[in-house]
């Protein structure tokens, strides 16, 4: 299995287990607050929005921050450990290129955006460039 996908799947499971609530209507917001044992009218000072309809209690904010920081560190370490671009880096690009329909568009820019890279950053790092080129070639050969 793709090593990048394994990392992302594990991290997604960890993120999903965080004590987050999601609400896209007043009714859902009341339900989230009540599930937390909070009054939806009086206890809004005990929560904050994480965006995209997500909420977390302030008492759990540190857990959210440490989890997301650890996930970023794990990804950076996996990228750094791939000295050639043939392993994790290639897997990363292959997964995201597939996810952003590279075989149809032949344009990697959505993939680079999703991964937070610019074309200049890719071109400046031979490992990233090699991994991207290898992933693009593999996708085109399998299409």
């Amino acid at each position: 299995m793709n090593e990048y996908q394994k990392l992302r799947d594990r991290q997604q499971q960890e993120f999903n287990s965080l004590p987050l609530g999601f609400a896209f209507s007043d009714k859902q917001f009341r339900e989230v607050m009540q599930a937390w044992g909070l009054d939806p009218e009086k206890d809004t000072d005990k929560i904050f929005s994480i965006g995209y309809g997500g909420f977390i209690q302030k008492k759990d904010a540190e857990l959210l921050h440490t989890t997301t920081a650890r996930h970023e560190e794990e990804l950076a370490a996996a990228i750094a450990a791939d000295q050639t671009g043939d392993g994790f880096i290639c897997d990363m690009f292959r997964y995201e290129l597939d996810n952003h329909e590279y075989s149809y568009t032949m344009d990697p820019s959505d993939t680079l955006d999703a991964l937070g890279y610019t074309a200049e950053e890719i071109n400046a790092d031979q490992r990233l460039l090699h991994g991207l080129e290898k992933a693009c070639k593999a996708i085109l050969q399998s299409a």
Side-chain angles (χ1 to χ4, degrees), residues 11-96:
Q11 289 180 340
Q12 187 63 55
Q13 286 179 328
E14 289 178 7
F15 190 83
N16 291 346
S17 71
L18 292 172
L20 302 175
F22 289 86
F24 303 100
S25 68
D26 289 339
K27 180 180 183 255
Q28 289 175 336
F29 181 76
R30 285 190 300 279
E31 290 169 356
V32 166
M33 293 292 282
Q34 290 168 350
W36 284 337
L38 299 174
D39 183 310
E41 303 299 324
K42 298 177 184 173
D43 292 331
T44 56
D45 62 327
K46 295 179 180 166
I47 66 166
F48 67 88
S49 171
I50 61 167
Y52 305 102
F55 297 89
I56 191 165
Q57 292 183 67
K58 288 181 179 179
K59 69 179 184 70
D60 296 319
E62 185 61 27
L63 176 61
L64 173 64
H65 293 296
T66 58
T67 301
T68 55
R70 181 173 45 80
H71 288 177
E72 290 172 11
E73 291 168 6
E74 290 171 351
L75 178 60
I79 292 168
D82 185 353
Q83 296 299 308
T84 63
D86 287 317
F88 186 87
I89 292 171
C90 182
D91 284 352
M92 173 182 72
F93 284 122
R94 176 88 191 249
Y95 178 87
E96 294 296 345

